[in-house]
Amino acid sequence: MHWTINGQRYEAEPDIRTTLLDLAREHLGLTGSKKGCDHGQCGSCTMLVNGRRINSCLSLAVMHQDDEITTIEGLGQPDNLHPMQAAFVSHDGYQCGYCTPGQICSAVGMLDEVKKGFPSWVSDDLSSPSLNDQEIGERMSGNLCRCAAYPNIVDAIAEVAGLSEDQRQTSQKVSG
Amino acid sequence: MKPFSYAKADSPEAAIREVNTEHTRFIAGGTNLLDLMKLQVETPDKLVDISRLPLDEIEEREDGGLTIGALVPNSDLAADRRIIERYETLSRALLAGASGQLRNKASTGGNLLQRTRCYYFYDTASPCNKREPGTGCSAFGGLNRILAVIGTSEHCIATHPSDMAVAMRALDATIITLKRDGDKRRISIHDFYCLPGDTPHIENVLEPGELITHIELPAPVEGARQFYRKVRDRASYAFALVSIAGVVKVEDGRISHAALAFGGLAHMPWRNPDVEAALVGKAPTRDAFEAAADALLDGARGFGDNDFKIPLARRTLLATLRDVTGE
Ligand SMILES: Cc1cc2nc3c(=O)[nH]c(=O)nc-3n(C[C@H](O)[C@H](O)[C@H](O)COP(=O)(O)OP(=O)(O)OC[C@H]3O[C@@H](n4cnc5c(N)ncnc54)[C@H](O)[C@@H]3O)c2cc1C
Ligand code: SF4
Ligand code: FES
Ligand code: FES
């Protein structure tokens, strides 16, 4: 079997049951993606597949051989950080750091969704959603942080999204 | 996880041809199936990968409705302009479900077929008639806070957990399938799901190896308001305790159209014509709303932990109807 991860081609013959997460961590030495729950409930395994964020723990490796996969290692490296990684560092968007690779991959995928016009549950007008703190919270709800670094995570994402203090605070009625 | 063999299908016809073992299952997003396979609640001996079938389009229908491919991801369906404009209840129901990551992967067909979140169904050490017919139901006298209060049986009180399917039911969707013999079939969503009865392991009318290819939505009701209301334990990323999808129209001070479907209450997304009959032709008053709630909850029964769902469903219905009729 073969994969394209972070622009690099890999070959391996793991058991057919191997998830994308276990492939990366156990077979390819890409240990940045973390296993929190292994059941889609925490988001720490988030990767970008063809630019879309997904839970790699609920994905079979065999089903993603023809996709472009990006893990935290592919977003940036210590000497060349992705803007989202840099913002997490400068805002202290973590404590233990276990959820962080998933948070960062998810945030990058999330901002791309906003660009494409994807609405969220808290968007008043589904046809033209705009980002604010409440939207960031809702859109990032698939990433849990056991250390509850949430306020700083939201700060980091808001900075990368270029939101002003006013934009961040615009609140909407919550529908339901 | 039990070992399985794997085949990838590139057409619906190839997919049904690959169904050739005792326990072949299709896999789309895999977000429910793999979860259950890891726990050995599901133990297929073969997976047919349908994730790349060319069934990922949303197409216009002549009657003003839409045909949705079974592989359209939940995120894309929720964000589609036509869905937002004509079927807001569906878009909102999808956005109420799961997380951004999961919605990117979850498919329209897979969402309809997701299985219950009953804790005992997930726990292979507990008896469960749905997982292993005839072993008993651990939810009676157990942790049943999230389970059903309507349409239950002595064999199972599980709920269907989907938000999307509730909206599909309010919208009178039709499910289009390809059977193993190559025949196509159209199934109204109203005839698609089964009550638990004494066969809770049978959840819908699909035959083994039958592939969902499309879901059709009829033209929307002009001038009606659409909504999805979800009550849950957390503000986000939690299954519904009670939810309501609806299409309601008020003309000249009277309710002229009402289609209401309920999640979190039953083994299937629930719809009861008596609820709608209690509203249509009436002025949108508290009395009419109470009559609708009476019809909905006639015969409802709690099992201890989930008793609260009966008053919760009533209040949610009253509040929602008050909001959407502007009364
Ligand atoms: C943590 C978590 C939280 C969640 N929260 C919510 C929530 O709040 N609300 C909600 O509604 N859902 C929620 N979900 C469930 C999620 O919506 C479903 O897992 C998803 O919709 C299933 O789609 P899939 O394509 O991944 O299905 P799969 O897992 O691929 O398949 C599910 C089943 O459908 C069958 N199948 C799939 N496609 C077809 C087809 N075309 N024809 C015939 N059979 C088919 C498969 O064989 C399998 O049995 C949650 C899931 C998780 C893990
Ligand atoms: S309620 Fe249904 S799914 Fe839950 S334990 Fe009983 S039989 Fe199993
Ligand atoms: S490890 Fe994948 S969601 Fe928790
Ligand atoms: S930083 Fe510790 S779990 Fe998020």
Side-chain angles (χ1 to χ4, degrees):
Chain A
M1 291 188 251
H2 59 89
W3 297 270
T4 308
I5 306 182
N6 304 328
Q8 195 180 322
R9 191 179 158 93
Y10 291 89
E11 287 181 24
E13 290 303 324
D15 187 285
I16 193 83
R17 294 169 284 188
T18 308
T19 61
L20 204 46
L21 176 62
D22 287 340
L23 172 80
R25 290 185 54 84
E26 311 293 337
H27 296 267
L28 307 181
L30 294 167
T31 53
S33 309
K34 298 292 183 270
K35 184 183 284 190
C37 66
D38 216 20
H39 287 279
Q41 299 172 0
C42 75
S44 67
C45 65
T46 304
M47 293 183 188
L48 300 168
V49 171
N50 301 326
R52 292 164 70 106
R53 53 178 175 157
I54 54 115
N55 305 85
S56 64
C57 70
L58 291 185
S59 309
L60 284 178
V62 64
M63 291 172 69
H64 292 281
Q65 295 184 77
D66 300 320
D67 295 326
E68 294 282 339
I69 298 158
T70 307
T71 65
I72 189 72
E73 290 93 341
L75 280 182
Q77 290 293 327
D79 52 356
N80 181 24
L81 294 180
H82 183 279
M84 191 65 77
Q85 291 172 316
F88 268 68
V89 173
S90 66
H91 289 278
D92 225 0
Y94 41 72
Q95 194 178 93
C96 76
Y98 196 80
C99 71
T100 313
Q103 297 278 2
I104 292 176
C105 287
S106 182
V108 169
M110 183 276 281
L111 290 185
D112 195 53
E113 291 164 11
V114 174
K115 228 177 258 159
K116 288 193 290 192
F118 277 25
S120 88
W121 171 247
V122 300
S123 308
D124 255 348
D125 180 356
L126 296 181
S127 53
S128 64
S130 57
L131 208 57
N132 56 34
D133 278 8
Q134 190 189 359
E135 285 271 1
I136 292 174
E138 164 60 25
R139 289 169 188 267
M140 292 294 294
S141 72
N143 290 86
L144 306 189
C145 176
R146 191 68 180 80
C147 303
Y150 298 114
N152 296 3
I153 293 172
V154 175
D155 285 350
I157 297 172
E159 179 187 291
V160 177
L163 299 185
S164 69
E165 203 48 44
D166 281 353
Q167 285 169 322
R168 290 186 58 178
Q169 299 316 325
T170 45
S171 74
Q172 309 166 60
K173 81 166 174 15
V174 181
S175 31
Chain B
M1 210 186 286
K2 294 263 198 227
F4 51 83
S5 61
Y6 169 85
K8 183 171 176 171
D10 53 15
S11 70
E13 294 70 26
I16 54 169
R17 261 199 314 275
E18 288 290 352
V19 180
N20 51 19
T21 68
E22 205 182 338
H23 298 294
T24 305
R25 300 297 287 271
F26 299 122
I27 182 162
T31 62
N32 191 228
L33 186 57
L34 286 173
D35 192 3
L36 293 168
M37 284 170 64
K38 288 182 182 192
L39 300 165
Q40 299 193 9
V41 174
E42 298 263 19
T43 51
D45 57 7
K46 176 170 181 179
L47 290 184
V48 178
D49 179 355
I50 59 168
S51 64
R52 307 305 156 108
L53 293 187
L55 296 173
D56 55 353
E57 303 279 330
I58 303 172
E59 286 157 310
E60 290 285 347
R61 288 163 44 75
E62 274 178 18
D63 68 355
L66 293 175
T67 299
I68 302 160
L71 273 307
V72 174
N74 287 180
S75 310
D76 301 59
L77 188 58
D80 187 88
R81 297 281 130 176
R82 295 160 294 181
I83 300 289
I84 290 173
E85 275 161 28
R86 291 181 235 167
Y87 307 101
E88 183 174 349
T89 180
L90 177 58
S91 188
R92 294 225 177 253
L94 284 158
L95 295 171
S99 67
Q101 290 96 313
L102 288 161
R103 292 192 296 270
N104 276 339
K105 230 167 167 266
S107 66
T108 311
N111 193 318
L112 285 175
L113 298 179
Q114 63 174 292
R115 308 204 65 193
T116 186
R117 307 306 284 203
C118 172
Y119 309 126
Y120 304 105
F121 177 70
Y122 269 78
D123 173 14
T124 51
S126 298
C128 167
N129 287 324
K130 185 183 277 300
R131 182 168 29 73
E132 262 183 274
T135 54
C137 172
S138 303
F140 280 86
L143 300 168
N144 54 41
R145 186 169 183 279
I146 62 171
L147 300 184
V149 293
I150 297 177
T152 54
S153 77
E154 60 185 301
H155 303 285
C156 180
I157 59 173
T159 50
H160 192 273
S162 169
D163 291 294
M164 182 197 81
V166 180
M168 291 284 193
R169 192 141 194 218
L171 293 170
D172 301 308
T174 299
I175 293 147
I176 319 288
T177 69
L178 186 62
K179 297 207 297 177
R180 269 180 86 184
D181 59 12
D183 281 354
K184 285 196 176 133
R185 176 148 89 122
R186 301 173 57 85
I187 311 164
S188 161
I189 192 161
H190 307 309
D191 305 323
F192 184 73
Y193 292 106
C194 306
L195 284 175
D198 56 8
T199 53
H201 58 293
I202 300 173
E203 296 174 351
N204 56 60
V205 300
L206 290 183
E207 295 169 9
E210 189 168 358
L211 178 76
I212 299 178
T213 58
H214 300 90
I215 290 102
E216 271 179 24
L217 296 178
V221 177
E222 296 274 347
R225 281 196 67 178
Q226 294 193 13
F227 53 89
Y228 189 72
R229 185 145 185 164
K230 179 172 180 177
V231 183
R232 47 184 155 174
D233 284 326
R234 303 192 289 216
S236 185
Y237 204 19
F239 286 92
L241 293 168
V242 173
S243 72
I244 309 180
V247 183
V248 172
K249 185 171 178 178
V250 180
E251 283 175 294
D252 304 325
R254 295 196 176 269
I255 299 169
S256 59
H257 179 90
L260 296 171
F262 300 84
L265 297 179
H267 199 249
M268 55 167 86
W270 193 253
R271 195 158 159 193
N272 176 346
D274 295 343
V275 175
E276 294 161 25
L279 294 168
V280 173
K282 307 280 167 25
T285 60
R286 170 122 189 170
D287 283 351
F289 303 162
E290 290 275 9
D294 289 343
L296 172 69
L297 297 166
D298 183 30
R301 172 186 169 199
F303 297 88
D305 289 353
N306 71 348
D307 293 348
F308 75 97
K309 280 194 178 184
I310 298 172
L312 180 63
R314 173 178 297 274
R315 291 185 196 132
T316 309
L317 179 58
L318 291 170
T320 304
L321 288 172
R322 187 193 57 214
D323 290 352
V324 301
T325 59
E327 202 242 344

PDB file of all heavy atoms in Angstrom, chain A residues 28-52:
ATOM      1  N   LEU A  28       4.911   4.804  10.305  1.00  0.00           N
ATOM      2  CA  LEU A  28       5.676   5.784   9.536  1.00  0.00           C
ATOM      3  C   LEU A  28       6.468   6.741  10.413  1.00  0.00           C
ATOM      4  O   LEU A  28       7.122   7.653   9.901  1.00  0.00           O
ATOM      5  CB  LEU A  28       4.728   6.575   8.606  1.00  0.00           C
ATOM      6  CG  LEU A  28       3.826   5.726   7.697  1.00  0.00           C
ATOM      7  CD1 LEU A  28       2.958   6.618   6.824  1.00  0.00           C
ATOM      8  CD2 LEU A  28       4.637   4.760   6.842  1.00  0.00           C
ATOM      9  N   GLY A  29       6.384   6.566  11.720  1.00  0.00           N
ATOM     10  CA  GLY A  29       7.166   7.425  12.610  1.00  0.00           C
ATOM     11  C   GLY A  29       6.666   8.858  12.692  1.00  0.00           C
ATOM     12  O   GLY A  29       7.384   9.739  13.160  1.00  0.00           O
ATOM     13  N   LEU A  30       5.441   9.100  12.231  1.00  0.00           N
ATOM     14  CA  LEU A  30       4.869  10.449  12.319  1.00  0.00           C
ATOM     15  C   LEU A  30       4.021  10.507  13.595  1.00  0.00           C
ATOM     16  O   LEU A  30       2.817  10.267  13.566  1.00  0.00           O
ATOM     17  CB  LEU A  30       4.020  10.744  11.076  1.00  0.00           C
ATOM     18  CG  LEU A  30       4.800  10.819   9.759  1.00  0.00           C
ATOM     19  CD1 LEU A  30       3.853  10.792   8.562  1.00  0.00           C
ATOM     20  CD2 LEU A  30       5.665  12.074   9.717  1.00  0.00           C
ATOM     21  N   THR A  31       4.661  10.811  14.699  1.00  0.00           N
ATOM     22  CA  THR A  31       3.980  10.694  15.995  1.00  0.00           C
ATOM     23  C   THR A  31       3.366  12.006  16.470  1.00  0.00           C
ATOM     24  O   THR A  31       2.927  12.109  17.610  1.00  0.00           O
ATOM     25  CB  THR A  31       4.968  10.183  17.067  1.00  0.00           C
ATOM     26  OG1 THR A  31       6.117  11.036  17.045  1.00  0.00           O
ATOM     27  CG2 THR A  31       5.393   8.751  16.779  1.00  0.00           C
ATOM     28  N   GLY A  32       3.344  13.003  15.596  1.00  0.00           N
ATOM     29  CA  GLY A  32       2.734  14.280  15.982  1.00  0.00           C
ATOM     30  C   GLY A  32       1.246  14.134  16.273  1.00  0.00           C
ATOM     31  O   GLY A  32       0.735  14.654  17.266  1.00  0.00           O
ATOM     32  N   SER A  33       0.527  13.410  15.419  1.00  0.00           N
ATOM     33  CA  SER A  33      -0.912  13.197  15.634  1.00  0.00           C
ATOM     34  C   SER A  33      -1.081  12.324  16.867  1.00  0.00           C
ATOM     35  O   SER A  33      -0.373  11.341  17.035  1.00  0.00           O
ATOM     36  CB  SER A  33      -1.522  12.499  14.425  1.00  0.00           C
ATOM     37  OG  SER A  33      -1.174  13.179  13.243  1.00  0.00           O
ATOM     38  N   LYS A  34      -2.029  12.690  17.707  1.00  0.00           N
ATOM     39  CA  LYS A  34      -2.176  11.992  18.985  1.00  0.00           C
ATOM     40  C   LYS A  34      -3.442  11.151  19.038  1.00  0.00           C
ATOM     41  O   LYS A  34      -4.441  11.458  18.391  1.00  0.00           O
ATOM     42  CB  LYS A  34      -2.206  13.012  20.120  1.00  0.00           C
ATOM     43  CG  LYS A  34      -0.916  13.828  20.247  1.00  0.00           C
ATOM     44  CD  LYS A  34       0.252  12.958  20.703  1.00  0.00           C
ATOM     45  CE  LYS A  34       1.531  13.747  20.923  1.00  0.00           C
ATOM     46  NZ  LYS A  34       2.364  13.839  19.705  1.00  0.00           N
ATOM     47  N   LYS A  35      -3.371  10.090  19.848  1.00  0.00           N
ATOM     48  CA  LYS A  35      -4.554   9.252  20.091  1.00  0.00           C
ATOM     49  C   LYS A  35      -5.098   9.569  21.473  1.00  0.00           C
ATOM     50  O   LYS A  35      -4.457   9.281  22.484  1.00  0.00           O
ATOM     51  CB  LYS A  35      -4.193   7.771  19.997  1.00  0.00           C
ATOM     52  CG  LYS A  35      -5.408   6.864  20.149  1.00  0.00           C
ATOM     53  CD  LYS A  35      -5.049   5.383  20.127  1.00  0.00           C
ATOM     54  CE  LYS A  35      -4.742   4.870  18.735  1.00  0.00           C
ATOM     55  NZ  LYS A  35      -4.630   3.379  18.703  1.00  0.00           N
ATOM     56  N   GLY A  36      -6.270  10.194  21.493  1.00  0.00           N
ATOM     57  CA  GLY A  36      -6.886  10.502  22.780  1.00  0.00           C
ATOM     58  C   GLY A  36      -7.917   9.459  23.143  1.00  0.00           C
ATOM     59  O   GLY A  36      -7.846   8.820  24.197  1.00  0.00           O
ATOM     60  N   CYS A  37      -8.876   9.251  22.263  1.00  0.00           N
ATOM     61  CA  CYS A  37     -10.002   8.364  22.586  1.00  0.00           C
ATOM     62  C   CYS A  37     -10.096   7.181  21.628  1.00  0.00           C
ATOM     63  O   CYS A  37     -10.650   6.155  21.949  1.00  0.00           O
ATOM     64  CB  CYS A  37     -11.303   9.163  22.526  1.00  0.00           C
ATOM     65  SG  CYS A  37     -11.691   9.748  20.853  1.00  0.00           S
ATOM     66  N   ASP A  38      -9.612   7.354  20.408  1.00  0.00           N
ATOM     67  CA  ASP A  38      -9.715   6.360  19.327  1.00  0.00           C
ATOM     68  C   ASP A  38     -11.162   6.140  18.871  1.00  0.00           C
ATOM     69  O   ASP A  38     -11.447   5.167  18.189  1.00  0.00           O
ATOM     70  CB  ASP A  38      -9.089   5.024  19.773  1.00  0.00           C
ATOM     71  CG  ASP A  38      -8.378   4.308  18.619  1.00  0.00           C
ATOM     72  OD1 ASP A  38      -8.037   4.983  17.622  1.00  0.00           O
ATOM     73  OD2 ASP A  38      -8.183   3.086  18.705  1.00  0.00           O
ATOM     74  N   HIS A  39     -12.092   7.025  19.242  1.00  0.00           N
ATOM     75  CA  HIS A  39     -13.502   6.850  18.867  1.00  0.00           C
ATOM     76  C   HIS A  39     -14.176   8.122  18.347  1.00  0.00           C
ATOM     77  O   HIS A  39     -15.389   8.276  18.473  1.00  0.00           O
ATOM     78  CB  HIS A  39     -14.289   6.276  20.045  1.00  0.00           C
ATOM     79  CG  HIS A  39     -13.986   4.831  20.285  1.00  0.00           C
ATOM     80  ND1 HIS A  39     -14.567   3.811  19.567  1.00  0.00           N
ATOM     81  CD2 HIS A  39     -13.129   4.234  21.136  1.00  0.00           C
ATOM     82  CE1 HIS A  39     -14.090   2.641  19.970  1.00  0.00           C
ATOM     83  NE2 HIS A  39     -13.200   2.870  20.926  1.00  0.00           N
ATOM     84  N   GLY A  40     -13.392   9.047  17.831  1.00  0.00           N
ATOM     85  CA  GLY A  40     -14.019  10.229  17.228  1.00  0.00           C
ATOM     86  C   GLY A  40     -14.548  11.245  18.218  1.00  0.00           C
ATOM     87  O   GLY A  40     -15.266  12.164  17.836  1.00  0.00           O
ATOM     88  N   GLN A  41     -14.188  11.098  19.493  1.00  0.00           N
ATOM     89  CA  GLN A  41     -14.816  11.944  20.501  1.00  0.00           C
ATOM     90  C   GLN A  41     -13.947  13.103  20.985  1.00  0.00           C
ATOM     91  O   GLN A  41     -14.422  13.951  21.730  1.00  0.00           O
ATOM     92  CB  GLN A  41     -15.206  11.086  21.714  1.00  0.00           C
ATOM     93  CG  GLN A  41     -16.208  10.005  21.327  1.00  0.00           C
ATOM     94  CD  GLN A  41     -16.483   9.017  22.453  1.00  0.00           C
ATOM     95  OE1 GLN A  41     -15.926   9.141  23.534  1.00  0.00           O
ATOM     96  NE2 GLN A  41     -17.344   8.049  22.187  1.00  0.00           N
ATOM     97  N   CYS A  42     -12.660  13.146  20.612  1.00  0.00           N
ATOM     98  CA  CYS A  42     -11.790  14.160  21.224  1.00  0.00           C
ATOM     99  C   CYS A  42     -11.069  15.057  20.229  1.00  0.00           C
ATOM    100  O   CYS A  42     -10.670  16.160  20.574  1.00  0.00           O
ATOM    101  CB  CYS A  42     -10.761  13.484  22.131  1.00  0.00           C
ATOM    102  SG  CYS A  42      -9.418  12.669  21.235  1.00  0.00           S
ATOM    103  N   GLY A  43     -10.845  14.589  19.018  1.00  0.00           N
ATOM    104  CA  GLY A  43     -10.218  15.432  17.991  1.00  0.00           C
ATOM    105  C   GLY A  43      -8.701  15.490  18.021  1.00  0.00           C
ATOM    106  O   GLY A  43      -8.102  16.158  17.179  1.00  0.00           O
ATOM    107  N   SER A  44      -8.050  14.800  18.958  1.00  0.00           N
ATOM    108  CA  SER A  44      -6.592  14.938  19.044  1.00  0.00           C
ATOM    109  C   SER A  44      -5.891  14.272  17.858  1.00  0.00           C
ATOM    110  O   SER A  44      -4.718  14.513  17.610  1.00  0.00           O
ATOM    111  CB  SER A  44      -6.064  14.386  20.370  1.00  0.00           C
ATOM    112  OG  SER A  44      -6.233  13.002  20.425  1.00  0.00           O
ATOM    113  N   CYS A  45      -6.601  13.453  17.106  1.00  0.00           N
ATOM    114  CA  CYS A  45      -6.031  12.755  15.948  1.00  0.00           C
ATOM    115  C   CYS A  45      -6.291  13.491  14.643  1.00  0.00           C
ATOM    116  O   CYS A  45      -6.056  12.947  13.572  1.00  0.00           O
ATOM    117  CB  CYS A  45      -6.654  11.372  15.845  1.00  0.00           C
ATOM    118  SG  CYS A  45      -8.429  11.471  15.488  1.00  0.00           S
ATOM    119  N   THR A  46      -6.808  14.722  14.721  1.00  0.00           N
ATOM    120  CA  THR A  46      -7.242  15.433  13.507  1.00  0.00           C
ATOM    121  C   THR A  46      -6.102  15.584  12.497  1.00  0.00           C
ATOM    122  O   THR A  46      -5.007  16.033  12.830  1.00  0.00           O
ATOM    123  CB  THR A  46      -7.804  16.825  13.862  1.00  0.00           C
ATOM    124  OG1 THR A  46      -8.860  16.652  14.806  1.00  0.00           O
ATOM    125  CG2 THR A  46      -8.323  17.549  12.626  1.00  0.00           C
ATOM    126  N   MET A  47      -6.383  15.199  11.263  1.00  0.00           N
ATOM    127  CA  MET A  47      -5.464  15.415  10.130  1.00  0.00           C
ATOM    128  C   MET A  47      -6.256  16.121   9.033  1.00  0.00           C
ATOM    129  O   MET A  47      -7.489  16.179   9.079  1.00  0.00           O
ATOM    130  CB  MET A  47      -4.975  14.077   9.562  1.00  0.00           C
ATOM    131  CG  MET A  47      -4.077  13.271  10.472  1.00  0.00           C
ATOM    132  SD  MET A  47      -3.539  11.772   9.601  1.00  0.00           S
ATOM    133  CE  MET A  47      -2.717  10.916  10.949  1.00  0.00           C
ATOM    134  N   LEU A  48      -5.533  16.624   8.047  1.00  0.00           N
ATOM    135  CA  LEU A  48      -6.182  17.212   6.879  1.00  0.00           C
ATOM    136  C   LEU A  48      -6.071  16.216   5.732  1.00  0.00           C
ATOM    137  O   LEU A  48      -4.964  15.776   5.406  1.00  0.00           O
ATOM    138  CB  LEU A  48      -5.512  18.531   6.512  1.00  0.00           C
ATOM    139  CG  LEU A  48      -5.561  19.601   7.620  1.00  0.00           C
ATOM    140  CD1 LEU A  48      -4.627  20.764   7.284  1.00  0.00           C
ATOM    141  CD2 LEU A  48      -6.985  20.102   7.817  1.00  0.00           C
ATOM    142  N   VAL A  49      -7.191  15.831   5.174  1.00  0.00           N
ATOM    143  CA  VAL A  49      -7.197  14.923   4.029  1.00  0.00           C
ATOM    144  C   VAL A  49      -7.783  15.696   2.854  1.00  0.00           C
ATOM    145  O   VAL A  49      -8.932  16.143   2.924  1.00  0.00           O
ATOM    146  CB  VAL A  49      -7.995  13.641   4.338  1.00  0.00           C
ATOM    147  CG1 VAL A  49      -8.171  12.811   3.072  1.00  0.00           C
ATOM    148  CG2 VAL A  49      -7.286  12.823   5.411  1.00  0.00           C
ATOM    149  N   ASN A  50      -6.979  15.891   1.838  1.00  0.00           N
ATOM    150  CA  ASN A  50      -7.347  16.769   0.722  1.00  0.00           C
ATOM    151  C   ASN A  50      -7.802  18.131   1.249  1.00  0.00           C
ATOM    152  O   ASN A  50      -8.774  18.706   0.753  1.00  0.00           O
ATOM    153  CB  ASN A  50      -8.418  16.115  -0.155  1.00  0.00           C
ATOM    154  CG  ASN A  50      -7.953  14.782  -0.718  1.00  0.00           C
ATOM    155  OD1 ASN A  50      -6.769  14.614  -1.001  1.00  0.00           O
ATOM    156  ND2 ASN A  50      -8.859  13.837  -0.851  1.00  0.00           N
ATOM    157  N   GLY A  51      -7.139  18.598   2.282  1.00  0.00           N
ATOM    158  CA  GLY A  51      -7.423  19.917   2.841  1.00  0.00           C
ATOM    159  C   GLY A  51      -8.558  19.958   3.844  1.00  0.00           C
ATOM    160  O   GLY A  51      -8.789  20.986   4.469  1.00  0.00           O
ATOM    161  N   ARG A  52      -9.271  18.841   4.003  1.00  0.00           N
ATOM    162  CA  ARG A  52     -10.412  18.833   4.935  1.00  0.00           C
ATOM    163  C   ARG A  52     -10.016  18.152   6.235  1.00  0.00           C
ATOM    164  O   ARG A  52      -9.404  17.090   6.223  1.00  0.00           O
ATOM    165  CB  ARG A  52     -11.585  18.062   4.314  1.00  0.00           C
ATOM    166  CG  ARG A  52     -12.194  18.756   3.107  1.00  0.00           C
ATOM    167  CD  ARG A  52     -13.054  17.781   2.327  1.00  0.00           C
ATOM    168  NE  ARG A  52     -14.269  17.429   3.054  1.00  0.00           N
ATOM    169  CZ  ARG A  52     -15.476  17.885   2.737  1.00  0.00           C
ATOM    170  NH1 ARG A  52     -15.635  18.705   1.733  1.00  0.00           N
ATOM    171  NH2 ARG A  52     -16.533  17.504   3.429  1.00  0.00           N
TER     172      ARG A  52
END
